[in-house]
Amino acid sequence: MKTNNNQISKFLSLILRHTPDKIGIQLDENGWVDVSELLHKIKKYQPTLNLKLLKEIVATNDKKRFAFNEDMTKIRASQGHSVSVELAYEAKQPPAFLYHGTVAKFMSAIKENGLLKMNRHHVHLSEDRITATRVGERRGKPIILTVRSGEMHAQGAAFFQSENGVWLTDHVLPEYIEF
Ligand code: HQG
């Protein structure tokens, strides 16, 4: 059962972050889609998915990747889009330090250019080292970089926090990174 949920969750990430057109839906400018339309159009690909299961997946997803609107008529991915959406996060003061998990092969480029958003809309930073370690581990032996986010913010850089707690910013210059 759990693996089925994982598989549906992966498919939902794909649709709600990257290729909504694959099942013939469109995200609105803030990334939302109607739950009833989603359930209808996704049936062909995920025949077991119904409203009850969708609610379960949203509630139990390990990284809280999806969120409903207040009356649960709409759903969106909380972050990680490659299609253009405006998630309308509020700018927020970050803690003094945030962490970024990466791997050795990117280190020379990061030392030179800092952290870049690459294919995402923001650079993703974690509030604690354990989370950053998990992020880095997806690519190999993790290296944890400490970002002096408090100092960046004091000097005018904007930070946002997604619904699932990930910290987001545009670019981290190398001088704010402790290697
Ligand atoms: C690296 C997952 C070369 C960066 C995770 C990373 C997270 C550079 C990779 C979320 C660079 C981008 C985000 C530079 C950064 N030169 N490489 N200048 N700057 N990089 O996946 O932060 O499962 O786009 O270190 O748990 O790894 O999607 O970002 O290795 O929360 O929900 O370029 O993705 O969540 O990789 O991960 P990503 P990320 P989800």
Side-chain angles (χ1 to χ4, degrees):
M1 201 57 207
K2 212 162 182 183
T3 52
N4 183 41
N5 286 10
N6 269 344
Q7 193 258 329
I8 294 174
S9 162
K10 286 221 160 101
F11 190 77
L12 280 170
S13 281
L14 182 74
I15 296 303
L16 296 177
R17 290 170 165 183
H18 307 299
T19 57
D21 44 306
K22 188 182 162 80
I23 63 163
I25 59 170
Q26 275 191 317
L27 310 186
D28 76 8
E29 68 272 20
N30 304 120
W32 298 107
V33 301
D34 276 326
V35 170
S36 55
E37 187 189 356
L38 175 76
L39 287 173
H40 176 66
K41 295 196 168 152
I42 211 168
K43 264 254 127 57
K44 204 165 104 192
Y45 303 86
Q46 299 294 341
T48 61
L49 186 59
N50 56 23
L51 184 59
K52 182 166 175 276
L53 183 55
L54 185 65
K55 284 182 180 168
E56 182 186 316
I57 287 171
V58 171
T60 59
N61 184 266
D62 60 342
K63 287 202 213 148
K64 304 233 173 298
R65 290 186 175 88
F66 317 106
F68 288 113
N69 68 344
E70 273 175 19
D71 64 5
M72 289 186 142
T73 55
K74 292 179 187 181
I75 185 170
R76 72 177 178 188
S78 296
Q79 44 93 3
H81 300 77
S82 62
V83 295
S84 167
V85 294
E86 186 47 70
L87 292 170
Y89 299 128
E90 252 177 88
K92 209 169 154 181
Q93 171 155 9
F97 300 100
L98 287 168
Y99 304 93
H100 180 84
T102 188
V103 285
K105 67 176 175 191
F106 297 141
M107 288 304 283
S108 60
I110 293 174
K111 279 184 178 150
E112 180 154 339
N113 305 313
L115 292 170
L116 301 177
K117 45 189 156 180
M118 311 307 278
N119 290 328
R120 301 191 190 245
H121 291 176
H122 295 97
V123 172
H124 288 222
L125 301 168
S126 310
E127 215 159 71
D128 59 85
R129 289 174 156 274
I130 295 167
T131 310
T133 303
R134 274 193 220 113
V135 174
E137 265 169 359
R138 295 177 304 146
R139 300 175 197 280
K141 187 167 180 278
I143 295 178
I144 309 308
L145 304 175
T146 301
V147 171
R148 294 201 304 279
S149 39
E151 224 174 286
M152 282 177 66
H153 183 259
Q155 287 168 25
F159 282 80
F160 308 90
Q161 199 174 22
S162 71
E163 284 162 45
N164 60 350
V166 177
W167 281 91
L168 307 165
T169 194
D170 270 337
H171 180 197
V172 180
L173 292 168
E175 55 259 42
Y176 296 108
I177 303 172
E178 286 165 16
F179 290 98

